[in-house]
Amino acid sequence: MGWDQATQNFGISIFDDGRLVYYDVIRFVGETEERLVKIYNFLQYFIEVCEPDFVMFEDIQLQANGASQTMFNTFKVLAELMGVVKMVLTKNKIRHECVLNKVWQSQFNIAGKQRMEQKKNVMKKVKQLFDIDVTDDVADAILIGKYAYNKYCKQTHPTETLF
């Protein structure tokens, strides 16, 4: 599984033997604490139903140079969400890893200096690889999932071609 976690739009992808078999964005509403509880409950249910072998999700980072109060608040909420995500995965004994966006994006040669340009390029790459049109949240989740599969498969089958 690949997750692009956020408290309002949570992108999810599922790969089975390297094939993309499911993708969606789950939307959560309410105040922050209410959304975190909903996400916890959803992930608990989703994991029980899907029984994933491995989950990869995006790490968080704060660009402190010129960061505004809004950016600090967003970082705080994402840190709280990461705690919820790690708690659910650890509680259910699911192997997991978080990865910085620049790491998984480099695997797919995603360019762009601005965040919006990178998001457009991620959606284009998903269109190129899977011939589907999706939102940026889902596109991120799909490429994170593909990156996770590639990384896992390379460890177990180093000579296999993954693209």
Side-chain angles (χ1 to χ4, degrees), residues 70-126:
T70 301
M71 293 170 98
F72 283 115
N73 291 341
T74 300
F75 182 78
K76 180 182 172 186
V77 169
L78 290 175
E80 291 171 345
L81 174 59
M82 182 171 283
V84 169
V85 166
K86 286 184 172 187
M87 180 175 39
V88 170
L89 293 169
T90 301
K91 177 183 172 190
N92 289 282
K93 297 178 174 76
I94 305 296
R95 290 183 321 130
H96 59 277
E97 182 180 330
C98 58
V99 61
L100 288 170
N101 68 336
K102 65 182 178 181
V103 173
W104 67 262
Q105 287 179 355
S106 69
Q107 172 96 31
F108 301 101
N109 300 313
I110 302 298
K113 293 183 182 194
Q114 300 298 321
R115 186 170 184 257
M116 294 310 295
E117 184 181 2
Q118 290 171 356
K119 289 197 169 288
K120 281 184 184 177
N121 290 334
V122 168
M123 292 186 304
K124 285 180 187 176
K125 181 58 79 170
V126 167

Side-chain angles (χ1 to χ4, degrees), residues 14 19-20 24 44 50 58 61 69 74 85 97-98 107 127 131 137 150 162:
I14 299 176
R19 289 182 314 107
L20 178 64
D24 202 356
Q44 203 42 53
C50 297
E58 194 168 83
Q61 57 187 350
Q69 187 61 46
T74 300
V85 166
E97 182 180 330
C98 58
Q107 172 96 31
K127 176 70 172 175
D131 196 26
D137 299 308
N150 289 352
L162 300 173

Side-chain angles (χ1 to χ4, degrees), residues 11 21 40 52 67 71 77 149 160:
V21 295
Y40 175 87
M71 293 170 98
V77 169
Y149 178 79
E160 185 173 306

Side-chain angles (χ1 to χ4, degrees), residues 42-57:
F42 168 76
L43 293 178
Q44 203 42 53
Y45 169 77
F46 198 70
I47 286 170
E48 288 171 14
V49 170
C50 297
E51 300 177 344
D53 296 323
F54 182 78
V55 175
M56 184 168 284
F57 52 93

